[in-house]
């Protein structure tokens, strides 16, 4: 059963993401473009929220094993992620691939595949992969220990917001050890 309102929200979010991309090149020169760009920033978090809602709604009566769930979901997301990451990697490094031994770039490809940095737009797929890993566990917890899960998620969110705030005001300053790349 499809929920029309969810589809309407997805369409609205899609237009908002387009607005983000269209205005991105003008935010330094035009205050209206900057304002529109910032107003449309709700779209990606809402897409993630809608994806989680749709996933929970579609899986609510299924009794799927964890591995079957992952197999079904990852077949739809991992192949496109790897394919596009490799395409973007080849395009971004085309001059080095031609001028040097291509195998020298292999560790960089592996690092980019692992970290989701082959291209900036692929971060959404990395987020979805992470959420697919967590979803079955959260679903089980919500069914078995609803109250504990909700209270725990509240305190985790509270701590994360507090940490972000403390970082913004300069109380928490992350450091980068010397041996990190």
């Amino acid at each position: 059963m499809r929920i029309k309102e969810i589809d309407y929200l997805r369409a609205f979010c899609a237009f908002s993401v387009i607005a983000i991309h269209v205005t991105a090149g003008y935010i330094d020169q035009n205050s209206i473009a900057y304002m529109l760009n910032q107003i449309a920033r709700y779209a990606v978090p809402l897409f993630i929220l809608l994806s989680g809602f749709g996933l929970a709604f579609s899986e609510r009566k299924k009794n799927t094993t964890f591995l079957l769930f992952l197999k079904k979901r990852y077949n739809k997301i991992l192949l496109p992620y790897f394919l596009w990451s490799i395409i973007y990697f080849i395009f971004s490094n085309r001059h080095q691939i031609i001028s040097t031994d291509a195998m020298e770039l292999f560790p960089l490809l592996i690092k980019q595949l692992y970290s989701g940095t082959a291209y900036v737009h692929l971060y959404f797929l990395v987020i979805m992969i992470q959420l697919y890993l967590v979803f079955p566990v959260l679903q089980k917890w919500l069914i078995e220990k609803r109250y504990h899960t909700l209270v725990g998620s509240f305190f985790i969110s509270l701590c994360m917001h507090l940490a972000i705030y403390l970082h913004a005001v300069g109380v928490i300053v992350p450091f980068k050890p010397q041996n990190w790349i």
Side-chain angles (χ1 to χ4, degrees):
M1 178 176 108
R2 292 199 60 98
I3 301 173
K4 291 185 300 187
E5 291 79 3
I6 299 294
D7 291 336
Y8 298 150
L9 279 172
R10 283 187 181 136
F12 194 69
C13 285
F15 284 119
S16 297
V17 168
I18 291 169
I20 291 169
H21 290 286
V22 168
T23 59
Y26 304 101
I27 59 174
D28 292 335
Q29 300 130 13
N30 187 316
S31 60
I32 293 173
Y34 177 77
M35 184 180 68
L36 290 173
N37 184 282
Q38 295 306 301
I39 288 171
R41 292 286 168 171
Y42 74 91
V44 174
L46 187 55
F47 260 130
I48 293 169
L49 183 78
L50 292 173
S51 295
F53 177 79
L55 185 60
F57 190 75
S58 70
E59 294 288 325
R60 72 184 188 281
K61 293 187 179 177
K62 296 177 185 174
N63 196 9
T64 310
T65 65
F66 182 70
L67 290 177
L68 187 61
F69 170 82
L70 289 180
K71 181 182 176 192
K72 185 172 104 179
R73 295 293 168 180
Y74 283 145
N75 284 342
K76 295 177 183 177
I77 201 166
L78 275 181
L79 181 62
Y81 172 71
F82 284 123
L83 177 68
W84 282 106
S85 291
I86 291 168
I87 289 169
Y88 282 127
F89 178 82
I90 290 169
F91 181 76
S92 323
N93 297 289
R94 63 189 177 279
H95 301 296
Q96 291 92 337
I97 291 172
I98 293 169
S99 64
T100 63
D101 182 17
M103 289 309 290
E104 289 179 20
L105 294 173
F106 189 70
L108 178 61
L109 172 63
I110 297 301
K111 180 181 176 188
Q112 288 183 354
L113 284 172
Y114 176 73
S115 63
T117 57
Y119 198 71
V120 294
H121 295 111
L122 295 175
Y123 79 94
F124 188 77
L125 291 176
V126 174
I127 290 171
M128 295 309 296
I129 290 168
Q130 293 168 346
L131 291 175
Y132 285 158
L133 273 175
V134 174
F135 175 78
V137 176
L138 288 177
Q139 183 185 34
K140 182 178 180 188
W141 287 351
L142 278 171
I143 290 169
E144 294 176 2
K145 298 192 184 266
R146 179 177 302 245
Y147 176 76
H148 292 73
T149 305
L150 292 175
V151 169
S153 66
F154 169 77
F155 281 110
I156 290 170
S157 296
L158 180 67
C159 290
M160 293 305 294
H161 285 310
L162 182 63
I164 291 168
Y165 172 75
L166 292 174
H167 171 68
V169 297
V171 174
I172 297 176
V173 180
F175 65 95
K176 186 174 181 179
Q178 296 300 323
N179 59 351
W180 284 19
I181 294 175

